[in-house]
Amino acid sequence: MSYPPGLGTPPEPFGITHFDIRDVIRRIGPLAEAFDYMEVCPIDAGQTAAVAAKLIREFIAVHRIKNQE
């Protein structure tokens, strides 16, 4: 179940999770030129913003590794 509390939508059964998004970032991040994380609403205790920050950091890491090769 996809369940970030800071999104404006209810949980989606069988929805994509942040682990799935991380795997996508790791696969296509080296090929991408940009990354945008949308719909982070600070209505929770910061959990959604923390997940967004970690995913953005993951993109920066895989993108930087590509550029160093």
Side-chain angles (χ1 to χ4, degrees):
M1 181 175 289
S2 183
Y3 49 84
L7 298 178
T9 57
E12 183 69 33
F14 307 108
I16 190 168
T17 68
H18 56 280
F19 296 114
D20 298 328
I21 296 171
R22 184 191 62 194
D23 292 340
V24 170
I25 290 170
R26 287 180 177 172
R27 287 186 180 242
I28 67 170
L31 307 173
E33 293 297 323
F35 180 77
D36 187 12
Y37 194 103
M38 299 174 14
E39 295 190 27
V40 177
C41 182
I43 60 171
D44 59 359
Q47 300 99 321
T48 305
V51 169
K54 288 181 179 186
L55 292 174
I56 291 168
R57 183 180 67 197
E58 183 76 29
F59 173 78
I60 292 169
V62 298
H63 194 71
R64 181 173 178 173
I65 290 169
K66 173 200 117 179
N67 291 332
Q68 287 180 350
E69 294 177 349

